[in-house]
Short mmCIF file of all heavy atoms in Angstrom, two decimals:
data_model
loop_
_atom_site.label_atom_id
_atom_site.label_comp_id
_atom_site.label_asym_id
_atom_site.label_seq_id
_atom_site.Cartn_x
_atom_site.Cartn_y
_atom_site.Cartn_z
N SER A 289 108.34 73.92 97.13
CA SER A 289 109.48 73.24 96.53
C SER A 289 109.74 71.85 97.09
O SER A 289 110.79 71.27 96.79
CB SER A 289 110.74 74.15 96.66
OG SER A 289 111.03 74.36 98.01
N ASP A 295 106.57 75.64 109.56
CA ASP A 295 106.25 77.04 109.81
C ASP A 295 105.39 77.10 111.08
O ASP A 295 105.13 76.13 111.75
CB ASP A 295 105.64 77.74 108.65
CG ASP A 295 104.25 77.18 108.31
OD1 ASP A 295 103.77 76.25 109.06
OD2 ASP A 295 103.60 77.65 107.33
N LYS A 296 104.91 78.37 111.38
CA LYS A 296 104.13 78.58 112.59
C LYS A 296 102.87 77.71 112.60
O LYS A 296 102.50 77.17 113.65
CB LYS A 296 103.80 80.04 112.65
CG LYS A 296 103.72 80.57 114.03
CD LYS A 296 103.75 82.12 114.16
CE LYS A 296 102.52 82.70 113.48
NZ LYS A 296 102.36 84.11 113.86
N LEU A 375 104.02 96.07 111.99
CA LEU A 375 104.30 95.83 113.36
C LEU A 375 103.26 94.86 113.92
O LEU A 375 102.09 94.91 113.58
CB LEU A 375 104.35 97.13 114.14
CG LEU A 375 105.23 98.21 113.62
CD1 LEU A 375 105.32 99.38 114.63
CD2 LEU A 375 106.69 97.74 113.31
N SER A 377 100.36 93.28 115.79
CA SER A 377 99.14 93.99 116.26
C SER A 377 98.44 93.17 117.35
O SER A 377 97.53 93.63 117.99
CB SER A 377 98.19 94.17 115.08
OG SER A 377 97.78 92.97 114.55
N ASP A 559 94.32 101.05 105.57
CA ASP A 559 92.92 101.54 105.73
C ASP A 559 92.75 102.38 106.98
O ASP A 559 91.64 102.59 107.48
CB ASP A 559 91.95 100.36 105.79
CG ASP A 559 92.14 99.48 107.01
OD1 ASP A 559 93.15 99.68 107.75
OD2 ASP A 559 91.27 98.64 107.28
P DG B 3 112.98 80.89 94.10
OP1 DG B 3 112.52 80.13 92.89
OP2 DG B 3 112.42 82.21 94.37
"O5'" DG B 3 112.68 80.00 95.38
"C5'" DG B 3 113.61 78.95 95.70
"C4'" DG B 3 113.44 78.62 97.16
"O4'" DG B 3 114.15 79.59 97.96
"C3'" DG B 3 112.02 78.60 97.63
"O3'" DG B 3 111.86 77.47 98.53
"C2'" DG B 3 111.84 79.89 98.38
"C1'" DG B 3 113.23 80.15 98.92
N9 DG B 3 113.63 81.57 99.15
C8 DG B 3 113.45 82.60 98.25
N7 DG B 3 113.91 83.73 98.72
C5 DG B 3 114.44 83.41 99.94
C6 DG B 3 115.09 84.22 100.90
O6 DG B 3 115.32 85.42 100.86
N1 DG B 3 115.44 83.49 102.00
C2 DG B 3 115.25 82.15 102.23
N2 DG B 3 115.67 81.61 103.34
N3 DG B 3 114.64 81.38 101.33
C4 DG B 3 114.24 82.06 100.22
P DA B 4 110.46 77.10 99.15
OP1 DA B 4 110.40 75.59 99.15
OP2 DA B 4 109.38 77.86 98.49
"O5'" DA B 4 110.60 77.61 100.66
"C5'" DA B 4 111.65 77.10 101.46
"C4'" DA B 4 111.59 77.71 102.82
"O4'" DA B 4 112.05 79.05 102.75
"C3'" DA B 4 110.11 77.79 103.36
"O3'" DA B 4 110.16 77.30 104.70
"C2'" DA B 4 109.75 79.25 103.28
"C1'" DA B 4 111.14 79.92 103.43
N9 DA B 4 111.28 81.21 102.78
C8 DA B 4 110.80 81.62 101.56
N7 DA B 4 111.05 82.88 101.25
C5 DA B 4 111.70 83.30 102.37
C6 DA B 4 112.26 84.58 102.69
N6 DA B 4 112.22 85.62 101.88
N1 DA B 4 112.90 84.73 103.88
C2 DA B 4 112.94 83.67 104.69
N3 DA B 4 112.44 82.46 104.52
C4 DA B 4 111.87 82.36 103.32
P DC B 6 106.91 80.82 110.42
OP1 DC B 6 107.06 80.26 111.79
OP2 DC B 6 105.76 80.43 109.57
"O5'" DC B 6 106.89 82.40 110.49
"C5'" DC B 6 107.99 83.13 111.10
"C4'" DC B 6 107.68 84.59 111.10
"O4'" DC B 6 107.88 85.10 109.74
"C3'" DC B 6 106.23 84.87 111.47
"O3'" DC B 6 106.20 86.06 112.28
"C2'" DC B 6 105.61 85.14 110.12
"C1'" DC B 6 106.70 85.86 109.37
N1 DC B 6 106.57 85.90 107.92
C2 DC B 6 107.10 87.02 107.24
O2 DC B 6 107.66 87.90 107.92
N3 DC B 6 106.93 87.09 105.95
C4 DC B 6 106.31 86.14 105.25
N4 DC B 6 106.18 86.30 103.91
C5 DC B 6 105.85 84.94 105.91
C6 DC B 6 105.97 84.89 107.24
P DA B 7 105.06 86.23 113.36
OP1 DA B 7 105.69 86.39 114.65
OP2 DA B 7 104.01 85.24 113.17
"O5'" DA B 7 104.42 87.66 112.90
"C5'" DA B 7 104.87 88.83 113.51
"C4'" DA B 7 104.73 89.98 112.57
"O4'" DA B 7 105.51 89.74 111.36
"C3'" DA B 7 103.35 90.29 112.01
"O3'" DA B 7 102.55 90.89 112.97
"C2'" DA B 7 103.77 91.22 110.93
"C1'" DA B 7 104.97 90.56 110.34
N9 DA B 7 104.61 89.71 109.21
C8 DA B 7 104.22 88.41 109.21
N7 DA B 7 103.94 87.95 108.03
C5 DA B 7 104.14 88.99 107.18
C6 DA B 7 103.99 89.18 105.79
N6 DA B 7 103.59 88.26 104.98
N1 DA B 7 104.24 90.41 105.29
C2 DA B 7 104.66 91.41 106.12
N3 DA B 7 104.83 91.37 107.46
C4 DA B 7 104.54 90.12 107.91
P DC B 8 100.98 90.63 112.97
OP1 DC B 8 100.42 91.05 114.22
OP2 DC B 8 100.69 89.30 112.40
"O5'" DC B 8 100.53 91.71 111.84
"C5'" DC B 8 100.77 93.10 112.12
"C4'" DC B 8 100.59 93.92 110.85
"O4'" DC B 8 101.48 93.35 109.81
"C3'" DC B 8 99.21 93.90 110.26
"O3'" DC B 8 98.44 94.87 110.97
"C2'" DC B 8 99.45 94.29 108.85
"C1'" DC B 8 100.79 93.64 108.53
N1 DC B 8 100.71 92.37 107.79
C2 DC B 8 100.62 92.40 106.41
O2 DC B 8 100.69 93.50 105.82
N3 DC B 8 100.53 91.25 105.67
C4 DC B 8 100.49 90.08 106.33
N4 DC B 8 100.37 88.97 105.61
C5 DC B 8 100.55 90.01 107.79
C6 DC B 8 100.66 91.14 108.47
P DG B 9 96.82 94.75 110.93
OP1 DG B 9 96.31 95.76 111.84
OP2 DG B 9 96.43 93.35 110.99
"O5'" DG B 9 96.51 95.24 109.40
"C5'" DG B 9 96.68 96.60 109.07
"C4'" DG B 9 96.29 96.80 107.63
"O4'" DG B 9 96.99 95.83 106.81
"C3'" DG B 9 94.82 96.56 107.39
"O3'" DG B 9 94.27 97.58 106.63
"C2'" DG B 9 94.72 95.26 106.64
"C1'" DG B 9 96.05 95.16 106.02
N9 DG B 9 96.46 93.75 105.89
C8 DG B 9 96.74 92.87 106.91
N7 DG B 9 97.05 91.66 106.48
C5 DG B 9 96.88 91.76 105.10
C6 DG B 9 97.05 90.75 104.11
O6 DG B 9 97.36 89.56 104.23
N1 DG B 9 96.86 91.30 102.83
C2 DG B 9 96.48 92.59 102.54
N2 DG B 9 96.32 92.89 101.27
N3 DG B 9 96.33 93.50 103.47
C4 DG B 9 96.55 93.05 104.71
#
Side-chain angles (χ1 to χ4, degrees):
Chain A
S289 59
D295 67 0
K296 214 164 64 166
L375 307 187
S377 62
D559 65 349

